[in-house]
Amino acid sequence: MKPVSIIKIAIVTLIIQSAQAQETKKETVPAEIKYSIENCVNHFELDKATKTKVGYQYWFADKNFTQENTLKMSIVEPGKSTHAPHHHPEEEFFYILEGTAEFFLDGKTVVAGPNTSFYCPPNAEHGISNVGKTDLKYLVIKKDLK
């Protein structure tokens, strides 16, 4: 068989396999979410929260329900933090509901209480810790890339 014929057969085979993969992918994609008042209103209930090593997390909305936006409430015990300072390509916005937080951003820290917000730009090293004597409760808004 001539090399040109082999190349033509290989290209046709790749095109067919690609088309089959596309069809398989379409079949495995979940159906579009139907939004209603019943699934768009979310009331916090501690028994539906996820226990963590440092307290709780409760997702009011996650990227599987929204258009990549997330809204989470974290509750962190005194003297603890959810994780060490880190960075990622998504921006985040924190809002303190209760307690005393220490915000870390690119090597500097600030201590703040309720009704304080903290914006973290994309790829900036950041963190949040509970430096108070009571639980720290805060909201995190993030566009979580799919």
Side-chain angles (χ1 to χ4, degrees), residues 8-100:
K8 287 179 182 178
I9 291 170
I11 291 172
V12 169
T13 303
L14 286 173
I15 291 170
I16 291 169
Q17 287 176 345
S18 176
Q20 289 172 340
Q22 291 286 340
E23 286 302 313
T24 302
K25 187 176 180 182
K26 285 179 187 176
E27 291 171 9
T28 59
V29 173
E32 188 173 319
I33 295 171
K34 301 219 187 276
Y35 296 99
S36 67
I37 191 72
E38 291 80 16
N39 68 4
C40 287
V41 174
N42 186 331
H43 178 74
F44 171 72
E45 295 179 37
L46 187 57
D47 63 329
K48 292 181 181 176
T50 303
K51 180 81 172 119
T52 67
K53 293 178 185 176
V54 299
Y56 296 90
Q57 290 184 345
Y58 184 85
W59 293 91
F60 286 97
D62 67 26
K63 66 182 178 181
N64 296 319
F65 183 73
T66 66
Q67 303 298 312
E68 299 179 348
N69 296 302
T70 64
L71 176 59
K72 172 182 73 172
M73 178 171 58
S74 288
I75 302 170
V76 179
E77 297 169 352
K80 297 183 179 181
S81 57
T82 54
H83 43 67
H86 64 288
H87 54 84
H88 42 71
E90 307 88 11
E91 64 184 349
E92 281 184 302
F93 189 81
F94 299 82
Y95 182 80
I96 304 303
L97 299 168
E98 298 175 9
T100 306

